[in-house]
Each structure stands twice: as structure tokens, then as C-alpha cells.
Amino acid sequence: MYKQKITKLSNYDRILACLYRNPGISRKDISDITGITPATVTTTVAAMIKVGLVSVLGQIEEDRGTIGRSRIALDIFAGYGCTIGVECTLATITICAADLHGHIFYKEIIPTTQQITDHITQYVIDLVRTCMDSIDFPTDRILGIGIAIPGHIDRNGQHMVCSSDRWADFDGLKIQSAFPCPVVFENNIRCMAVAQYLHWPQNTPASFALFHAGKGMFCANFTEDGLYIGTTYGSGEIGHTIAVPDGKRCECGKRGCLQTVATEPALLESAAFIFNNNDSSLLHSFAQNADELTIEHLTTAYSLGDPAVRQIITQALKYLCISTLNIAILMNPEKLLLHGKLFNNKDIQQDLLEMIRSQFDFTRNNYRLGTVEFLHCDPEDGALGGASLAILKCVIHA
């Protein structure tokens, strides 16, 4: 279990954050980790237990040769309340409701259409209202709503800043005014990182990064001070770093951006060319025409040894390897989590890790490469991230 010093919050918030990062912790250990006096920890925890936010798990087993009171294990009570998360992407709109441990008990995934994006503000409002009416939690126990977006929210908290003009109708202020509980917004990959930070503390040290490669690319970064946001909208936009100088023009206007060679759309475009020009490709076993191909078809063909598919994915992995090493060297996270449908394939995981290891040999072990791990990519990850953002902003930092 990774333990960290939590600062820059009130004592109440620091204790609550410590409980999230260390489930089953004792009052004494909370004091040791946060630096808050034992008396203040005891008083604050007692208030949390009284309102039902924290539960007592029981005595911690230990060597009773030591002198003093038995330590009592504490944890956040999952049923104290819930949060709602919504993820908006050009592929799907996903909503979920989760308890305070991140367990989803309500979920709906809707394919995105032009009609939905043209009226996305009202659609999100209606979707959340339907969710609120469908779950058992009373309104005052819905503690917050987190909206995970494929870009950034502007400084007024109203408009979405992203490369697609299909979100022009998005109005964060109108969504906030529609509900009695707080509504917060953040980039969807940063939201996923928050979910990892809160609900899988055994897997996330104080310093980690989450690199997502899907229809787009983004890298979220956690430091010991918390989620790093940066001062510009470019923070985290690793997909718009240059991979191939003078390469294909990107939607951002530059040439050779990473996302033009290693995202799902880039790979599917290359796969369509293979499908239409190579009758012997295994891709013909999965689809009747190129438009039906999915990233899962490509990764399966990769594992089965289709030469043309292996060539395009191997080339993409080389660029992803370079970007992964750049993150490891420049950001220096203790752990780097890779996320995306491409990485759900075990053969691709193994081949990418081998590339990373071979490229990092230049250090002769003089530098330590943080651990690289893969997260399984599931359709509800972004929505759960939104619900987790609501916990962070509306419960811990309330």
C-alpha cells in the first residue's frame, strides 16, 4: 500500500483523503502519515463516524507484546452516499452511479449521434435526471456529479475546449444550474486517473501517470501535490507532440503529430487500405467491408500473425514506445499506466514492454525507469472517472 504525506488541505480533508488512500488504517497511522496530532485525528474521525461517512471495521491484528491500546481499522462507508459520472465522447455517452468505494450500481451506454451532440447540454441534463430517478439514493445523498469530457473546460466553466466543433452546444454553467448538488468537469483521462488514485491505492503511488491511446491521446499526471492540471489547455495533450516530422497533417494544423500514426482512427485507416488491397489478409475473416473493422479485429489479426497488420501495429508501437520513454524521463512518474483497447491484447503488451526495455538500455541501469503497467480498457472507465472526480472535488475537497 502506498502511503503519502497529504498537505494543502484542511485537517478534515487531509484525514478523509488519507482514509481513501489507506483503507483499513488506524487513527494512529493517520496521524503518522498526515502529521496531524492524535487528538485532532480522534476528534475528526469521531465526527465522521457520527454522520456515517466513516465506518469502524474492527481491531487490527498485531503482536500484543506491545504496550498500548489496540488499533482499530477504519474505512470510508461506501453506502454513505453516491456520485454520478458522465463521459461524453464522439463514440458514446456513458453514465453511471457509483458508491463511495467506486462500485457501479447503475450504468447506461448510448451511441453518440449528431442529434445528441447538437443538443448535448439538454441531453446530459435529461440523462442525469433519469439516473437520479432510477437509483435508490435520496437527492441529499447524491453528493456530486462529475462530467468527463474529451478536452478541457474553459476558465469560466462553461464551454468545452477541444479539437472537434461538434461540442459547440456544451454549456457547463447550464448543466450546473440544473441540479441541487455540485457539478464538476474535467478531461476524461484525468478523471480515469482520479478513479485509479482513489479506488486502487494499492496500485497507484503518489507519483504516477496514465497514458491513454484510443480515438485520441492524453496523458494525465499525478504528483505528490495531487492531480496536475497545468496552466494551459495544452497540458497533457501528448497526442499533439511531433512523432514524424513533416508527416501527415493533424486536425490541430501541425504535421506528424503522434495521434496521426498511433491512435485507433490512424490504425483503422491503415487497416482499411490493407482490407481493400490485400485479399489474403485475415481482416476479411472479421468483416464484410472495411468500414466494419474494429480495433479488436486488428489486435486479433496481430496475434494471429497477419503480416500487414503486424507491420502497421508494430510501427505504431515504436512511436508509442518513444512517447512512453519521453514521459518516463521528462515527468519521472513512479508508475506509468497504459490504457486503451489496443493494450487489452496480451501480445501487444508483451511486444511494447520489450521495446521499452530495449530502448532504455542506454542508461546501463544508472537511471531507474518507473514501473510500466497496463490497465484493462472498459467502456465505463470514463464515466466511473467522472463519478470519482465528484468524490475528489465534492466530498474530499468539499
Side-chain angles (χ1 to χ4, degrees), residues 66-78:
T66 58
I67 300 175
R69 291 183 178 181
S70 299
R71 293 187 301 152
I72 304 299
L74 306 167
D75 198 3
I76 303 295
F77 176 50

Side-chain angles (χ1 to χ4, degrees), residues 241-257:
T241 56
I242 302 300
V244 187
D246 300 322
K248 183 178 178 181
R249 187 174 295 279
C250 177
E251 62 187 13
C252 73
K254 302 195 305 293
R255 287 191 176 276
C257 288

Side-chain angles (χ1 to χ4, degrees), residues 7-243:
T7 58
K8 297 184 180 180
L9 300 172
S10 70
N11 286 340
Y12 187 95
D13 295 349
R14 291 164 65 195
I15 291 170
L16 194 55
C18 188
L19 281 162
Y20 258 104
R21 293 289 291 166
N22 303 277
I25 195 172
S26 70
R27 293 170 178 84
K28 180 181 183 304
D29 289 335
I30 292 174
S31 177
D32 291 343
I33 291 173
T34 61
I36 300 171
T37 65
T40 300
V41 170
T42 297
T43 302
T44 306
V45 168
M48 293 176 176
I49 293 173
K50 183 175 181 180
V51 299
L53 178 56
V54 170
S55 59
V56 177
L57 302 182
Q59 182 174 315
I60 297 175
E61 293 186 9
E62 55 188 337
D63 182 3
R64 292 314 300 152
T66 58
I67 300 175
R69 291 183 178 181
S70 299
R71 293 187 301 152
I72 304 299
L74 306 167
D75 198 3
I76 303 295
F77 176 50
Y80 174 78
C82 74
T83 57
I84 293 173
V86 180
E87 182 187 31
C88 301
T89 74
L90 290 177
T92 58
I93 308 295
T94 305
I95 185 169
C96 76
D99 65 23
L100 296 190
H101 282 180
H103 299 138
I104 295 174
F105 58 88
Y106 175 95
K107 178 177 68 176
E108 188 175 2
I109 302 174
I110 305 99
T112 304
T113 64
Q114 184 71 53
Q115 183 177 6
I116 288 176
T117 56
D118 285 347
H119 305 89
I120 189 62
T121 298
Q122 191 59 49
Y123 189 85
V124 168
I125 291 171
D126 293 342
L127 195 64
V128 172
R129 284 174 174 164
T130 299
C131 173
M132 295 174 78
D133 291 340
S134 301
I135 61 179
D136 292 333
F137 280 88
T139 302
D140 64 345
R141 289 299 182 186
I142 300 174
L143 306 178
I145 300 166
I147 313 294
I149 58 176
H152 308 271
I153 197 75
D154 69 11
R155 288 176 174 79
N156 296 323
Q158 183 170 16
H159 301 298
M160 196 186 302
V161 179
C162 62
S163 56
S164 174
D165 59 2
R166 288 184 61 181
W167 304 108
D169 178 69
F170 188 90
D171 189 332
L173 297 181
K174 186 174 180 180
I175 295 173
Q176 287 177 324
S177 66
F179 302 103
C181 60
V183 181
V184 290
F185 308 89
E186 189 48 84
N187 174 270
N188 54 348
I189 312 306
R190 286 183 181 147
C191 289
M192 294 180 197
V194 171
Q196 293 296 315
Y197 177 81
L198 291 180
H199 304 309
W200 288 274
Q202 71 280 1
N203 197 48
T204 52
S207 168
F208 75 95
L210 194 159
F211 179 13
H212 170 83
K215 293 186 181 301
M217 285 184 173
F218 195 88
C219 185
N221 187 29
F222 256 92
T223 70
E224 292 190 1
D225 292 327
L227 180 64
Y228 180 77
I229 302 299
T231 57
T232 71
Y233 297 131
S235 176
E237 295 288 355
I238 193 168
H240 294 296
T241 56
I242 302 300

